[in-house]
Amino acid sequence: MRPRFAAAVALTATAAIALTGCTKKNETDTAGGTDAGSKTYKVAFVPKLQGVPYFEAMNAGGKEAAAALGNVEWLYQGPTQADAAAQADIVRSYIQQKVDALIVAPNDPDSMAPLLQQAKDAGIHVATADTDAPSSVREVFVNQATAEGIGQGLTDALLKAMGGKGKYAIVSCGQTAENLNSWIEVQKAYTKEKYPEAQIVDIVYAGEDQAKATQMATDLMNAHPDLTGLVGECTSSAPGVAQAVKDAGKIGKVFTVGLGTPQAMKPYLQDKSSTAAILWDVENLGYLTAWAGAQIAQGKPFAATNNVSSELSAVEYTEADKMLLLGPALAITDQNVDQFNY
Amino acid sequence: MSVTTAEKPAVRTTKVLPSPVTGQEIVLVGVIAILWVALWVSTPAFMTAGSIQPLLVATAPVALVGVGMTIVIITGGIDVSVGAAIMVCSVLTAKLLVDAEVNLGVAVIVSVAAGGLLGLVNGVLIAYGRVHAIIITFGTANLFLFLGLQIFGSGTVNGIPGTLAFFGRGQDGRTFGVPHAFLITLLITAAAWWYLRHTAGGRHFFAIGGDAQAARLAGVRVQRRVLLAYVLTGLLVGLASCFVIAQGTSTLDQSVGSGKELAVIAAVVIGGTSIMGGRGSVLGTLLGALLVQSVASGVTQLGWSSQLSDLFVGIFIIVAVGADLLRARARRSR
């Protein structure tokens, strides 16, 4: 009796969740366009998830831009987990609020595309930032760095520490994360081309789990006793690989680099278990995102080179792929880590 | 409840306890042994201290929470809130370590107390609310998640000091080469094994899972026992959270604990505990957790594709449940 009851209850719960998910879908077809006339433009940004330092730093930059520009109201809300459905609900609510510009860092670019179409139909200017939805109606993509910039930055920083040769492995996160995979492709090609004596021996996927990333890095060091380098491809595996090297007592023998946020990487940069964190100035990315939102809300076109602020005096725009590029990737080391408060 | 005929009570008393180890445990020991030997020959360093020690450390939190989960499942319940509870205890403890710079003892006590409190919430609602455990803990999982995110504020906890290194993967986490986290887990598992097998209170959990109504009529205080099962799980979640912090990095983010409830339930099921209640073993759970972690490490050390370990865990669960059903059928036909 009991297990059958449990199964029935579980089914009912699932069905209820599925139903509530569906009923919300078709509520927002009627909104009309209202972007003209108002002096203050509402620019909304929906991150992949909120509460993590990365997107909170973007939020800080966005707020700063709104204050500097004067005619922008910056709105920021994201799901508490990197979940495409929860993110879609927030996007729909912004469509209903009839914001002037809606910028999304999509968790799932494919499922976000029809929602962006809905927003456009409602007269809202749409854009993407941080992660693109290439096959959507977005007017601009605010790109933090090119895949080449990041992949080459990671490879150069690691191989410099490894002396230009040796075996290294990559601990990545989501196996289907498109941006991570595009960086890995660059790392593979660039290593082969520029460092013929270096070799990537394995690429493993730990999800967003720090402890798992650390354990996998430990296993990789055991699997390849001659390993001298590790790359943590995302913000949870970057400190993970460094921790593994530290725990194994291999600081100075195995070098690590990673895509980590400065404050999280600070202890590892200081004890040398991590050589460098490759990132970009996230606050500036937020600033540029808010600025771009204000531009499209006002219907202003982008120039080939844009003077956004004193720190962002020459932001390049490419018309072919409608992309604003923040600039080259940034290497964070124990020397400059204190400049960043996120 | 099996019907005992009045004619032969004397025969029953000599063999009232089940055998000390179940068939499932012997099978698991065999599977793990074969796996380790296979990895020993096919990888350069699987059978070295540098590989086995971290493996045991990584096994500890899942196995430890698994002890509580086994008792809960033996009573016919389930607790799907342990992942979220780990998040609450971890972030609370990590914040204390950073902001108040508390020492190891205080950190463990606070974490265990917090876990016990969360377990008490589950236990009271399930024992006295009389709603099925999956619904209650599904609800509290979301409440705990909210609570955890509130404690996180909007950001990660950075700069966690090495106070808990005693439970960690590094040099400070071992005595004579034995990782403390695993040793503690082993001792608690042994104590739970003895308690479940040799005390009346321990046997009551099985009685409840077999038939709660009959247990009540036989004088078992069902509600108190059920409450205790969830509180125990909560206390163990608190201690396991200290292990989780110790084996993580100096940063704690919102993903902590996420999906751990499934890892724990998988270990329990692979360990041979019947998901329908009434039968199970904490020793099996420890072996189940060890098998899952050995497979994960083995897959990485062999250079195989990471998602293969999910495939293997899935196969283990299905085989374990299948074996349990076959055993149940064999018992019925006897």
Side-chain angles (χ1 to χ4, degrees):
Chain A
M1 281 306 256
R2 190 178 290 107
R4 202 168 290 163
F5 170 69
V9 156
L11 272 176
T12 317
T14 318
I17 291 162
L19 281 173
T20 46
C22 290
T23 47
K24 284 203 172 178
K25 216 157 206 173
N26 299 318
E27 285 171 5
T28 49
D29 284 343
T30 48
T34 52
D35 58 39
S38 59
K39 274 181 192 136
T40 310
Y41 296 94
K42 283 185 179 173
V43 176
F45 175 54
V46 183
K48 285 184 184 176
L49 75 167
Q50 66 177 25
V52 294
Y54 180 86
F55 285 113
E56 295 304 316
M58 269 188 85
N59 184 26
K63 278 183 191 162
E64 201 185 312
L69 294 169
N71 61 346
V72 170
E73 185 188 345
W74 172 254
L75 302 167
Y76 170 86
Q77 199 193 345
T80 54
Q81 308 237 314
D83 173 41
Q87 188 179 35
D89 284 339
I90 293 165
V91 169
R92 286 191 199 99
S93 101
Y94 276 135
I95 296 174
Q96 283 176 329
Q97 290 176 40
K98 293 179 188 166
V99 295
D100 298 297
L102 177 58
I103 309 165
V104 184
N107 282 307
D108 178 10
D110 291 334
S111 69
M112 189 51 69
L115 271 175
L116 293 181
Q117 178 70 51
Q118 253 186 52
K120 191 190 176 191
D121 293 345
I124 296 169
H125 294 278
V126 291
T128 51
D130 177 74
T131 304
D132 198 11
S135 53
S136 72
V137 295
R138 54 95 173 148
E139 291 168 42
V140 63
F141 168 46
V142 184
N143 194 358
Q144 58 272 46
T146 57
E148 281 72 27
I150 293 162
Q152 294 179 3
L154 284 168
T155 311
D156 284 335
L158 180 65
L159 267 300
K160 194 178 160 200
M162 288 168 63
K165 59 179 193 307
K167 291 183 177 175
Y168 75 92
I170 297 172
V171 180
S172 188
C173 304
Q175 194 151 4
T176 54
E178 194 157 337
N179 49 354
L180 269 53
N181 288 340
S182 69
W183 302 337
I184 292 172
E185 285 308 313
V186 173
Q187 284 165 266
K188 282 187 195 163
Y190 186 67
T191 302
K192 207 172 196 176
E193 175 206 323
K194 194 173 171 195
Y195 301 98
E197 287 179 84
Q199 186 196 352
I200 301 174
V201 291
D202 204 353
I203 299 165
V204 298
Y205 302 88
E208 303 291 324
D209 187 337
Q210 282 189 4
K212 193 172 173 190
T214 312
Q215 179 62 29
M216 283 184 141
T218 309
D219 287 327
L220 285 169
M221 285 189 279
N222 282 313
H224 308 279
D226 51 351
L227 195 81
T228 50
L230 281 164
V231 179
E233 201 73 29
C234 74
T235 53
S236 62
S237 69
V241 295
Q243 180 73 39
V245 168
K246 190 174 172 178
D247 284 343
K250 289 189 172 169
I251 295 176
K253 295 190 192 101
V254 180
F255 301 93
T256 76
V257 298
L259 208 103
T261 46
Q263 282 304 311
M265 294 306 292
K266 191 176 164 185
Y268 301 106
L269 292 167
Q270 284 171 340
D271 70 19
K272 309 284 182 202
S273 55
S274 176
T275 304
I278 304 297
L279 201 67
W280 41 90
D281 193 312
V282 187
E283 283 192 14
N284 277 347
L285 180 62
Y287 195 106
L288 182 60
T289 301
W291 176 84
Q295 291 288 112
I296 56 173
Q298 296 169 66
K300 290 186 192 168
F302 297 105
T305 319
N306 301 276
N307 186 358
V308 176
S309 71
S310 58
E311 280 182 62
L312 295 165
S313 55
V315 174
E316 287 175 27
Y317 175 75
T318 40
E319 183 60 45
D321 45 9
K322 294 184 178 172
M323 188 175 85
L324 274 169
L325 181 62
L326 181 68
L330 187 71
I332 299 157
T333 64
D334 55 339
Q335 301 300 316
N336 62 358
V337 65
D338 286 320
Q339 294 167 17
F340 307 93
N341 61 355
Y342 52 87
Chain B
M1 283 261 108
S2 60
V3 184
T4 317
T5 47
E7 280 85 28
K8 2 181 199 172
V11 184
R12 299 289 299 184
T13 46
T14 53
K15 204 164 186 305
V16 66
L17 283 174
S19 74
V21 284
T22 62
Q24 185 88 0
E25 286 155 6
I26 295 164
V27 171
L28 280 173
V29 168
V31 171
I32 293 171
I34 293 168
L35 181 66
W36 280 29
V37 170
L39 289 168
W40 188 14
V41 267
S42 54
T43 64
F46 182 82
M47 261 328 190
T48 59
S51 162
I52 297 293
Q53 285 162 347
L55 191 158
L56 296 179
V57 172
T59 304
V62 171
L64 191 61
V65 178
V67 169
M69 185 72 83
T70 306
I71 300 176
V72 162
I73 290 179
I74 284 173
T75 67
I78 196 157
D79 186 346
V80 297
S81 73
V82 293
I86 288 174
M87 181 197 189
V88 173
C89 295
S90 304
V91 64
L92 187 70
T93 311
K95 283 240 167 181
L96 274 181
L97 288 168
V98 173
D99 297 338
E101 295 177 18
V102 297
N103 62 27
L104 177 78
V106 176
V108 171
I109 290 168
V110 169
S111 189
V112 169
L117 200 65
L118 299 179
L120 187 68
V121 172
N122 279 332
V124 167
L125 289 173
I126 291 161
Y128 299 99
R130 290 165 185 270
V131 180
H132 193 275
I134 200 167
I135 295 300
I136 295 288
T137 56
F138 189 45
T140 53
N142 286 283
L143 293 179
F144 296 167
L145 217 52
F146 170 79
L147 185 64
L149 288 170
Q150 288 302 114
I151 304 172
F152 263 112
S154 51
T156 50
V157 183
N158 289 325
I160 301 168
T163 318
L164 294 178
F166 183 78
F167 302 127
R169 202 182 274 101
Q171 188 63 50
D172 296 338
R174 298 190 289 266
T175 304
F176 302 122
V178 183
H180 301 141
F182 186 74
L183 189 64
I184 293 167
T185 303
L186 201 61
L187 292 175
I188 290 177
T189 305
W193 177 84
W194 188 85
Y195 171 66
L196 285 175
R197 189 176 150 76
H198 291 289
T199 68
R203 302 307 302 166
H204 287 168
F205 291 113
F206 292 91
I208 294 167
D211 187 335
Q213 189 66 10
R216 196 177 59 78
L217 293 173
V220 174
R221 306 181 101 146
V222 174
Q223 289 172 323
R224 268 197 210 179
R225 284 284 131 192
V226 169
L227 177 65
L228 180 65
Y230 289 91
V231 172
L232 276 176
T233 304
L235 295 170
L236 294 172
V237 160
L239 183 55
S241 300
C242 294
F243 294 1
V244 168
I245 296 171
Q247 59 183 257
T249 68
S250 66
T251 299
L252 197 72
D253 67 33
Q254 297 169 353
S255 69
V256 64
S258 159
K260 278 283 183 285
E261 65 279 6
L262 296 179
V264 171
I265 294 170
V268 173
V269 171
I270 292 171
T273 295
S274 169
I275 201 77
M276 295 158 195
R279 272 174 301 112
S281 143
V282 288
L283 213 57
T285 301
L286 176 68
L287 292 168
L290 189 60
L291 177 62
V292 169
Q293 186 55 49
S294 300
V295 167
S297 285
V299 164
T300 308
Q301 295 203 21
L302 286 167
W304 291 359
S305 163
S306 307
Q307 73 265 43
L308 275 176
S309 63
D310 296 332
L311 173 73
F312 289 133
V313 172
I315 291 171
F316 290 151
I317 292 175
I318 290 167
V319 169
V321 171
D324 181 57
L325 289 175
L326 286 179
R327 276 198 299 269
R329 198 168 298 167
R331 256 193 310 277
R332 266 202 304 276
S333 63
R334 211 180 286 150

